[in-house]
Amino acid sequence: MDNLRTLFIFGLLIVSLLLWEAWQNDYVRPQQQAAEQAAETANGPATDAEADLPDLPAPTAESMPDVPTTPEASAVTEKVHVKTDVIDLKISTQGGDIRELALLEYAVSSDQPDTPVQFLNDTASHFFVTQSGLRAEGDAPTHYAEYRAEKDEYVLQEGQDEIKVPLYWENEAGLQVIKTYTFKRDSYLVEVDYQVNNQSADGFSAYPYAQLNRNRSDDGSMFIYTYTGAVFSSEGNEYQKVDFDELEEAPYNRSVNNGWAAMIQHYFVGAIVPPQEAELGFYGRSINNSNYVAGVRMPVISAEAGQQAQADYGLYLGPKKHERLEKVAENLPLTVDYGILTIISEPLFWVMEWLHKLTGNWGWSIVLLTVLIKLAFFKLSAASYRSMAGMRKLTPKLAQLKERYGDDKQKFNQAMMDLYRTEKINPLGGCLPILVQMPVFLAFYWVLVESIELRQADFMLWINDLTAMDPYFVLPVLFGLSMWFQQKLNPAPQDPAQAMMMKIFPLVFTVFFAFFPAGLVLYWLVNNLLSIAQQWYITRKMGAL
C-alpha cells in the first residue's frame, strides 16, 4: 500500500502537468505558431524596426537620446562559418550575431547519432539567436548594422587552442568598431570583445548590450514538462524565472550590480555573462507576442577623438552540466532547474554522480541510489508495513463484520474502529512514512528529468537511452507485475468498488509508465522490488501471510 499510495499521488501530479501541457498544445501554441508564420520573413519573424532593441536609460538627459527607429540599410548579408571541437556555428555579418549553432557532442536522438542538436537557429519554427550591439547618440552598430569579415570560414585545427573571429564596422566620420569572437577548445563559453577606435572629430559614447531572442518552439518531451523561457540572476535574487506569458503582460526591467541573463530549455542554456562588479540593466520583452527577448545593458563606454574604448562579455551556449556551469558564473548551475526541491535534488545528483564514477553506468547509478534512498527510509517503511500486516491479519474479522452489518455503513464503520482500538492498530499508520518520503521521490524525479548526463545514456541490453521510453515496453510491464504482486501483500479493501479500482491500478500505471523515460521506470521498478522484499519479510514475520 506504501508504494500504491505514493504512485497514486505521483500520478495525479503528473496527470495535472500533462493536462496543462495538452491545453497549451491544443489552444495556446497553435495561435502563437500561426502568428509566427504570418510574420515570417527571409531572416526570421518580422518585427517593428526598433522592437527588439533595448530601451536604454540615459546617464544624463543630454548625453544619450533615443535609439534610431530605422534599421541601417545593409548589403547582402553573409554568414561566417566557425567550427571547433564541440560547436559548429554561423555568424551573420548583419549585426555580427550568432544565427545558427549546433552542439556536436549531443545528437538529436540515439537513432540519429550523426545529427547534432541545432541549439540556435533562425527559422520560423525554431527561432533562437544571439544579438548584440552598441547604442549611441549618433552612428553606432546595433544588431542591424552590417559588418565586414576577413574570411568566410574558421576551423579549429589540431593543436590549436582557440580561434579569434574579428568583424569590422566603420562609418564615414572615422569611427571604427571591431567586434571579436573568441572560441576555445572544449568550451561552450564564447568571449565577445568590442574595440572602438575613434578617429572622428567628435567624442563617442555608447551602451554595449547583448540579448537572446527566441520564439516558443518546444524541444521537450510531450509527456514531461520542463521550463522554457527567460531567467535572470543577481545579488539577492539568485534565480528569477520570467516566463513568456509574463513578458507578454509587461516588459521586465531591473538595475543590478552583478549577475547574468539567460534563456533556458530542457538540457541546454544560452546565457549572457557580463563583467561583474559593474552596474548592469536586465531587461526582457515580448516582440509582437511571438518572439521574446532577454538581455543585458552594460555600462557606457566613451572614447574621445583619437582615443579608444573597449567592452567585453561572455556567452555560454551549451549543455546544462554542473561541472561546466559552475566555472562560468555564480548561480549559473541553478539553470539545471530542479524547482522548489533543489535543496534535496542537488545532493541526490551529487550522490548519483559519485556512484557513476564507481560504476561507469548511469543506469546502475540509478539502481544503487534507489537502494540508498530505500535504506534511508527503511525504519519508516517498516512501520508502515507492520501497520498493513496488522490490518491484513484482521481481514477475516472485517469480513465477518461486513456480513453482520450488511448495508448499514454507520454501524459497520463504528464496529471496525472498535476492532482497530481493541487490536491496537492504527489504520493511518502507513500515511506518515509516505508523506515524509514524498518530497524525496519527487526530488529524485526531477534529478532524472533535468540531468543532461542521463540524456541518451546507455544502460544495458536494449536500453540505450535512459531518457527515452523503453522501445519494447519491458520495464513498464515488469513494473506493472511488481505492482500487482505487491497488492497481494496488502490488506484487501472491504469496499467492492475500491477493490475493483485496486485491481486495475497495475494495468493503468503500466500503460501510463510505458511512455515515460526508461530511467524513471527503472527507478520505480527497483523501488517496488525493494518494497516487496521488505514488506514480504515483515508480513511473514508477523504471521499475516
Side-chain angles (χ1 to χ4, degrees), residues 164-414:
K164 288 188 177 293
V165 181
L167 302 168
Y168 301 90
W169 176 92
E170 56 189 331
N171 64 11
E172 295 178 355
L175 181 68
Q176 182 189 57
V177 175
I178 306 173
K179 182 178 184 179
T180 304
Y181 285 97
T182 302
F183 304 91
K184 296 185 178 181
R185 182 174 294 277
D186 189 34
S187 178
Y188 298 95
L189 180 63
V190 181
E191 297 174 4
V192 187
D193 176 83
Y194 281 96
Q195 185 72 38
V196 178
N197 299 316
N198 186 10
Q199 299 303 317
S200 70
D202 302 314
F204 174 80
S205 293
Y207 280 103
Y209 70 92
Q211 61 191 30
L212 298 159
N213 186 336
R214 69 165 296 156
N215 61 11
R216 284 185 184 252
S217 58
D218 186 8
D219 301 308
S221 166
M222 63 179 295
F223 291 99
I224 297 178
Y225 168 76
T226 57
Y227 177 77
T228 297
V231 176
F232 299 90
S233 177
S234 59
E235 290 181 357
N237 198 5
E238 287 76 17
Y239 190 72
Q240 181 182 9
K241 291 191 279 191
V242 182
D243 63 35
F244 297 144
D245 291 335
E246 291 179 83
L247 293 179
E248 288 182 4
E249 292 176 3
Y252 173 88
N253 287 284
R254 188 175 182 190
S255 296
V256 300
N257 290 323
N258 297 292
W260 45 262
M263 283 284 190
I264 70 172
Q265 64 187 53
H266 198 198
Y267 295 132
F268 305 107
V269 56
I272 302 164
V273 185
Q276 302 302 291
E277 304 301 330
E279 185 176 349
L280 306 170
F282 287 168
Y283 63 92
R285 66 177 60 178
S286 168
I287 310 298
N288 298 335
N289 291 340
S290 62
N291 274 53
Y292 305 88
V293 167
V296 180
R297 300 183 298 262
M298 287 166 251
V300 65
I301 59 174
S302 299
E304 296 300 325
Q307 301 297 314
Q308 295 182 336
Q310 186 266 343
D312 60 72
Y313 65 93
L315 275 175
Y316 181 87
L317 305 167
K320 293 193 288 187
K321 293 191 73 169
H322 286 85
E323 61 201 50
R324 290 186 180 273
L325 298 175
E326 62 189 8
K327 297 176 183 177
V328 175
E330 187 178 3
N331 298 320
L332 195 57
L334 293 177
T335 57
V336 185
D337 194 352
Y338 298 135
I340 61 174
L341 297 174
T342 296
I343 193 172
I344 303 174
S345 297
E346 282 190 345
L348 289 177
F349 175 78
W350 295 335
V351 174
M352 189 168 70
E353 191 175 36
W354 177 75
L355 292 171
H356 177 258
K357 292 178 181 177
L358 296 179
T359 63
N361 186 295
W362 286 106
W364 288 116
S365 300
I366 292 173
V367 172
L368 293 176
L369 182 55
T370 307
V371 173
L372 292 177
I373 293 174
K374 200 65 182 173
L375 287 174
F377 291 107
F378 183 84
K379 290 188 176 180
L380 279 174
S381 298
S384 175
Y385 296 144
R386 280 194 292 270
S387 175
M388 284 187 283
M391 293 178 65
R392 181 183 172 90
K393 291 175 68 175
L394 294 182
T395 299
K397 294 183 179 180
L398 290 173
Q400 292 175 1
L401 291 177
K402 182 70 175 176
E403 184 177 351
R404 180 186 306 172
Y405 294 106
D407 295 332
D408 193 336
K409 291 185 177 181
Q410 184 175 357
K411 289 185 178 180
F412 170 73
N413 289 333
Q414 182 61 48

Side-chain angles (χ1 to χ4, degrees), residues 56-185:
L56 301 184
T60 65
E62 298 80 19
S63 63
M64 194 62 61
D66 293 336
V67 182
T69 58
T70 304
E72 302 179 20
S74 64
V76 177
T77 299
E78 299 176 351
K79 289 184 178 179
V80 180
H81 179 215
V82 182
K83 186 176 182 181
T84 74
D85 56 329
V86 294
I87 54 177
D88 189 339
L89 62 108
K90 291 182 180 179
I91 303 172
S92 173
T93 54
Q94 185 180 45
D97 299 323
I98 301 176
R99 308 283 294 191
E100 301 176 38
L101 186 142
L103 303 171
L104 300 179
E105 294 189 341
Y106 295 90
V108 171
S109 67
S110 54
D111 296 331
Q112 299 173 281
D114 298 326
T115 304
V117 168
Q118 192 69 31
F119 182 43
L120 302 185
N121 213 345
D122 57 1
T123 63
S125 59
H126 180 185
F127 189 86
F128 188 11
V129 301
T130 72
Q131 297 173 329
S132 59
L134 301 177
R135 296 280 304 277
E137 180 179 26
D139 200 12
T142 68
H143 62 274
Y144 288 113
E146 188 68 25
Y147 284 82
R148 174 177 54 85
E150 292 179 337
K151 299 193 301 184
D152 60 6
E153 186 171 37
Y154 294 81
V155 178
L156 187 69
Q157 303 296 332
E158 189 70 29
Q160 191 177 6
D161 291 329
E162 68 178 28
I163 302 174
K164 288 188 177 293
V165 181
L167 302 168
Y168 301 90
W169 176 92
E170 56 189 331
N171 64 11
E172 295 178 355
L175 181 68
Q176 182 189 57
V177 175
I178 306 173
K179 182 178 184 179
T180 304
Y181 285 97
T182 302
F183 304 91
K184 296 185 178 181
R185 182 174 294 277

Side-chain angles (χ1 to χ4, degrees), residues 38 47 219 342 426 499 511:
T47 64
D219 301 308
T342 296
N426 181 5
V511 175

